[in-house]
Amino acid sequence: QKEVEQDPGPLSVPEGAIVSLNCTYSNSAFQYFMWYRQYSRKGPELLMYTYSSGNKEDGRFTAQVDKSSKYISLFIRDSQPSDSATYLCAMSEGVGGTSYGKLTFGQGTILTVHP
Amino acid sequence: DAGVTQSPTHLIKTRGQQVTLRCSPKSGHDTVSWYQQALGQGPQFIFQYYEEEERQRGNFPDRFSGHQFPNYSSELNVNALLLGDSALYLCASSPMQVNYGYTFGSGTRLTVV
């Protein structure tokens, strides 16, 4: 069983739709949770990171973490064609305010937003 | 401000050969990590360097080795290349005290034939 599971999709939505992307994990030591966006032929770009359970909002993006269920989500409101990319969840272990470096990624979800 | 720079962009090697990939971290970053991303998969952690030492290592064989230089730049070496080593190799840098705030380069696409 993989430590991090992510539905690879692909996911195709119309412009303006609300997109929900999800990951589950099995390692209780994960403390830091991140979402990366990766365009074709590019490296991953950090979108959001969270440390605790709950919601964190940044513009059209909301990250949600439920440590009790080992489940994280990324919501994209008013999706745009420019949001079309692969979205990767990533997690790392840590104690207190320091993470331990290694990121464990999900498989990535391919998202297409069509006009 | 330049981000993470990787070279070369693309590389084709023959099975059994050796390859060296290079990475210059973002200005102000002193920690460098390497990841392997196979087609359709998420990146897999290879190892991390800080203060010229390997701090953490993922589940990769000894054929994969690295080095970090005093200017924080890094190299990834792969010996005895296998067809399965074909992948996008990503370098990520961060300040040591903010280890989750990685900046990734665009990667080196390695094809082994």
Side-chain angles (χ1 to χ4, degrees):
Chain A
Q1 182 189 5
K2 290 183 178 180
E3 283 189 291
V4 180
E5 298 278 359
Q6 182 176 7
D7 186 344
L11 193 59
S12 181
V13 302
E15 184 175 354
I18 297 175
V19 175
S20 172
L21 304 167
N22 311 293
C23 288
T24 59
Y25 63 96
S26 58
N27 185 350
S28 298
F30 287 144
Q31 299 292 328
Y32 289 85
F33 305 91
M34 288 141 274
W35 286 95
Y36 283 84
R37 177 175 61 195
Q38 186 173 24
Y39 291 114
S40 180
R41 296 187 181 88
K42 295 290 186 182
E45 169 195 13
L46 180 65
L47 281 176
M48 298 188 72
Y49 69 87
T50 56
Y51 174 65
S52 58
S53 285
N55 292 354
K56 182 177 181 179
E57 190 173 318
D58 184 2
R60 296 185 295 112
F61 299 90
T62 299
Q64 190 174 79
V65 174
D66 182 348
K67 288 186 177 180
S68 62
S69 301
K70 297 189 178 66
Y71 188 89
I72 71 170
S73 299
L74 178 70
F75 298 95
I76 307 174
R77 291 184 300 279
D78 187 25
S79 56
Q80 302 295 311
S82 59
D83 294 328
S84 298
T86 297
Y87 288 80
L88 296 154
C89 64
M91 308 177 189
S92 68
E93 301 180 14
V95 176
T98 304
S99 76
Y100 290 156
K102 169 190 171 183
L103 297 181
T104 302
F105 284 86
Q107 182 177 353
T109 300
I110 299 171
L111 171 67
T112 301
V113 181
H114 51 86
Chain B
D1 179 25
V4 177
T5 305
Q6 291 188 244
S7 63
T9 305
H10 297 88
L11 203 51
I12 299 175
K13 288 287 188 178
T14 302
R15 194 170 38 179
Q17 284 188 314
Q18 178 264 344
V19 69
T20 297
L21 310 181
R22 294 176 175 82
C23 171
S24 293
K26 183 177 179 179
S27 178
H29 288 186
D30 54 10
T31 302
V32 172
S33 300
W34 287 91
Y35 289 81
Q36 180 195 66
Q37 186 176 24
L39 198 62
Q41 301 296 317
Q44 297 289 315
F45 176 77
I46 302 175
F47 42 53
Q48 182 184 76
Y49 277 85
Y50 172 67
E51 291 187 332
E52 302 178 48
E53 291 189 1
E54 184 183 291
R55 298 184 68 246
Q56 275 188 294
R57 187 179 183 92
N59 212 13
F60 279 80
D62 292 344
R63 298 187 297 110
F64 290 77
S65 63
H67 189 78
Q68 185 179 35
F69 299 94
N71 66 353
Y72 308 123
S73 67
S74 178
E75 288 181 349
L76 165 65
N77 301 292
V78 187
N79 294 323
L81 284 167
L82 303 174
L83 297 179
D85 294 332
S86 295
L88 179 68
Y89 287 85
L90 294 163
C91 173
S93 72
S94 71
M96 180 56 192
Q97 67 273 23
V98 188
N99 247 338
Y100 50 82
Y102 288 116
T103 300
F104 281 82
S106 292
T108 294
R109 173 72 62 188
L110 173 65
T111 302
V112 182
V113 297

